[in-house]
Amino acid sequence: MSTSSQFERRRPAVICFVGYPGTGKTTQATTIAAALGVHRLRLRKFVETQGIVRTNEEIEDPLRWYERLLDFGSAFMNGPVAESVRTHGWAVIDGFPRAPSETDALHETAQRNGWAVTILHFDLPNVHERRAFSTHRQRSRAIMLGRTIDEARHQRRITIAEQREILAVHRARELGLRVSPIDPRQPLRVVHRTVRQAVRLDYERLPWDWEALWILHEVASHAYLVGGSFYRPFFNGVRGPMQASWDVGVAVGSELEAMEVRSLLLARAPRVRWRVGNAI
C-alpha cells in the first residue's frame, strides 16, 4: 500500500478546536488547516457572509451575539463544513461547538454523512488556572496588536466560555465523540506535536516527494527542496489534478555550493532534472 493511500484512508474528516479565549486554539487551527490545504472555518465568518453583522449591543455584550449564533449551527455544518469535507476530505473548525445545541448539530451531521470527528479541547486543570491563563493571554494579545486592554470584555468572554463551552464538551463526551485534551501551557512546538498526534496527522503520511527528499538529504542535508507541483488543463479547459513537477528545485547558500551540490545530485540521480540555485 502506498504512503498516500494510507494517508487518505486514515485521515479524520472534521477537526474542531475549542477552549477558553487566548489558549492558542486559533493558532493551532490555522497551522493544521494550512498543512491540510483547507480553509479554517468559523461560524462567525459564515454568519457574516449571510449579511448578518453584530449590533452595537452585541459588541458590548458578546453573550447576545453568541445567543444569535446558536440559530446557525446546522446551516454551518451543512454548508461550508460539508463543502470542505466533500472537496478536500477535511474540515478544520475554529471555536465550534460552543454550546450543547451546536454539539448536537455536529454529531447529527457527522452521523448522517459518516464523518469521523475529533474535538481538541484546550483546557487547564481547574477554573482558577483557566481564568488566569486566559486573562494573561488576552492582555498579551491586545498589547501585541496595539489595542486597549479591556478587562471587562476579557472577563465576559471567559464567563461565556465557562457557561457554554464546558457544557458543549461534556455533551460531546455523552454522544461518544472523540475529545482530546490539549494543555496550552506547554511550549508551542510541544502543543503542535500533541495536536498532530491527536488528529493522527503524522508528517510521514503526507504525500511528499519522498524520493527527492531522501536523495537531497543524502547529498546536502542542509539544503532546501523548493518549487513544487503544478496543475495542467484538461481537454475542456478546466484545471486538472496535481501533477509532478518537471524540475526539482534546490536552494543552497552560495553560487559555489550550488555548483557542488548540483554535481553531487546529478551523480546520485542523473535522470532527475535538478535545478540548484543560490537562495541568498
Side-chain angles (χ1 to χ4, degrees), residues 3-18:
T3 301
S4 61
S5 63
Q6 291 179 13
F7 177 72
E8 292 288 331
R9 186 169 298 178
R10 295 189 61 180
R11 65 182 183 181
V14 179
I15 307 169
C16 301
F17 291 78
V18 298

Side-chain angles (χ1 to χ4, degrees), residues 232-240:
R232 66 185 178 116
F234 281 151
F235 62 88
N236 60 358
V238 178
R239 293 292 173 180

Side-chain angles (χ1 to χ4, degrees), residues 26-267:
T26 295
T27 298
Q28 294 299 324
T30 301
T31 301
I32 293 298
L36 298 175
V38 301
H39 292 292
R40 176 175 60 93
L41 302 176
R42 302 192 72 180
L43 176 60
R44 176 174 64 83
K45 291 293 185 182
F46 166 69
V47 170
E48 289 174 352
T49 62
Q50 310 304 303
I52 298 171
V53 296
R54 284 182 287 183
T55 64
N56 290 333
E57 291 78 11
E58 289 169 339
I59 293 175
E60 291 295 323
D61 184 2
L63 182 57
R64 293 187 180 186
W65 176 240
Y66 285 120
E67 290 284 357
R68 189 143 69 118
L69 290 179
L70 294 178
D71 295 332
F72 297 91
S74 293
F76 177 59
M77 293 302 306
N78 291 299
V81 176
E83 177 63 23
S84 181
V85 175
R86 184 164 50 249
T87 304
H88 305 287
W90 295 88
V92 176
I93 313 176
D94 182 10
F96 186 96
R98 283 183 168 172
S101 61
E102 293 179 346
T103 305
D104 290 338
L106 170 65
H107 179 257
E108 178 185 343
T109 311
Q111 287 282 89
R112 186 171 63 252
N113 291 281
W115 299 342
V117 175
T118 299
I119 296 177
L120 301 173
H121 185 207
F122 287 64
D123 193 24
L124 281 82
N126 62 66
V127 66
H128 300 295
E129 287 183 289
R130 293 179 198 133
R131 275 188 164 270
F133 187 84
S134 179
T135 301
H136 170 71
R137 283 290 188 88
Q138 290 186 80
R139 288 173 182 163
S140 300
R141 182 187 300 165
I143 294 172
M144 182 179 64
L145 296 175
R147 298 173 180 171
T148 302
I149 296 177
D150 188 342
E151 294 288 359
R153 186 172 184 274
H154 297 338
Q155 296 308 312
R156 283 196 299 268
R157 296 183 68 202
I158 291 173
T159 300
I160 293 171
E162 289 175 343
Q163 295 174 348
R164 298 303 180 87
E165 293 187 21
I166 300 301
L167 293 176
V169 173
H170 179 70
R171 178 62 175 158
R173 289 194 171 98
E174 286 183 340
L175 294 170
L177 294 174
R178 185 168 176 261
V179 179
S180 296
I182 305 293
D183 187 345
R185 298 169 299 180
Q186 300 297 315
L188 186 61
R189 60 180 176 78
V190 176
V191 173
H192 182 59
R193 183 173 67 243
T194 305
V195 168
R196 285 195 296 104
Q197 292 172 345
V199 300
R200 301 187 179 93
L201 179 59
D202 295 331
Y203 288 145
E204 289 75 13
R205 295 196 182 98
L206 290 173
W208 305 114
D209 186 347
W210 285 108
E211 182 178 1
L213 281 169
W214 278 114
I215 291 173
L216 182 62
H217 175 73
E218 294 171 1
V219 170
S221 60
H222 58 284
Y224 293 89
L225 204 62
V226 297
S229 301
F230 65 93
Y231 291 82
R232 66 185 178 116
F234 281 151
F235 62 88
N236 60 358
V238 178
R239 293 292 173 180
M242 189 164 59
Q243 304 295 310
S245 174
W246 285 96
D247 300 328
V248 179
V250 177
V252 293
S254 70
E255 294 293 344
L256 178 61
E257 187 181 8
M259 296 174 59
E260 295 174 349
V261 171
R262 185 173 186 276
S263 297
L264 292 170
L265 288 171
L266 285 174

